[in-house]
Amino acid sequence: MNNIPYGRQDINQEDINAVIEVLRSDFLTQGPVVPDFEKAVADYCGARHAVAVNSATSALHISCLALGVGKGDIVWTTPITFVASANCALYCGAMVDFVDIDPDTYNLSVECLKDKLVLADKVGKLPKVVIPVHLCGQPCDMAGIHSLSRQYGFKIIEDASHAIGGKYKDEPIGNCRYSDITVFSFHPVKIITSGEGGMAVTNDAHLAKHLQLLRSHGISSSIEEMQPRPAHEIWNYQQIDLGFNYRMTDLQAALGLSQMQRLDEFVSRRHLIARRYDQLLPELPLVTPWQHADSYSSYHLYVIRLKAGETKKTHKEFYKALHAAGIGANVHYIPVYRQPYYEQMGFKAGYCPEAEQYYSEVISIPIYPGLTVAQQDHVVQTLRMIFIE
Ligand SMILES: *Cc1c(COP(=O)(O)O)cnc(C)c1O
């Protein structure tokens, strides 16, 4: 059997045609398809504004900037995430800190957040922004986080890189009911793809304007935004802020827009695969992903945990045995503060005990729309054999 990755894109002929159409058009970038894609995502999520960029990493960076994160500020996130959720604070010259995870959902724990806020308040070190991450596509307890944000005055960026197509309390993730900004990723392993790409959605018109400015050099061509100058000095643009080239191309947007048509289908497929794992795996000494009643996950990842003491195999042996069988299992994630770069900043092993326990047991097994029944059976059979050996 060919190698089975933990996740992969699903591209059909319509996706290909959409990209070809842009190639034959007048604009490869900064044409009409980026705003079309933005509108499709905003409408889908029920958010007022959407700003497309070249990655979720860029979206996180300019979202922090737009919320005023800078030197002297602190941003909090979960340790169980991709490094980009934390790095965005460092890009702005701010500090980052980590809140331990919930033992059931593996998302940032609202209990731990509350305790940490009480302590931080006493020493005057409250976070400016908190970045909850909807791990695997399962939404965080956003109502709980939002209520704490009211009490302690921090802003919220939802890192929904895993979670487009998911729902929280029956509403689409990305409607920003409980946050200032929500960020999506369209990397090929995620739910829908534009090759590389990301988007920030918000209901705040000022934030949206600021995000648009920051994604393209801080340059504006809107007369209202330009600084007053003598008429002969006013041309068609001015740089009024320090921004970046974080733009999405029309080629990417065409792929993303075409993929939007199948978003619900992709997520349904992922649910079928997850349900099948849920049925087939409990006979093994594993913990399958628990789902909160408020959650409709997009199932970007399917993570299993080895039950401590119930198998002789180590975590590493497990990982190696899966790879030996052609299964591209992965670990999502090493706690961010355990990365050498973060350890150099002074973070110590053991900082978030629940996150480290999770990390020592977790493995992501393949889940993506094109995974066949035969491939899934191979994954399950391989897991059975690992425990028997
Ligand atoms: C993939 C991912 C990112 C970064 O996305 P890019 O589009 O690759 O920059 C950020 N946060 C999380 C949680 C992710 O999984």
Side-chain angles (χ1 to χ4, degrees), residues 55-57 60 81-82 84-85 133 159 161-162 185-187 190 196-197 333:
S55 71
T57 304
L60 287 165
T81 184
F82 185 56
S85 320
V133 178
D159 183 345
S161 293
H162 297 182
S185 171
F186 308 125
H187 182 278
K190 307 291 165 76
E196 294 276 2
Y333 292 90

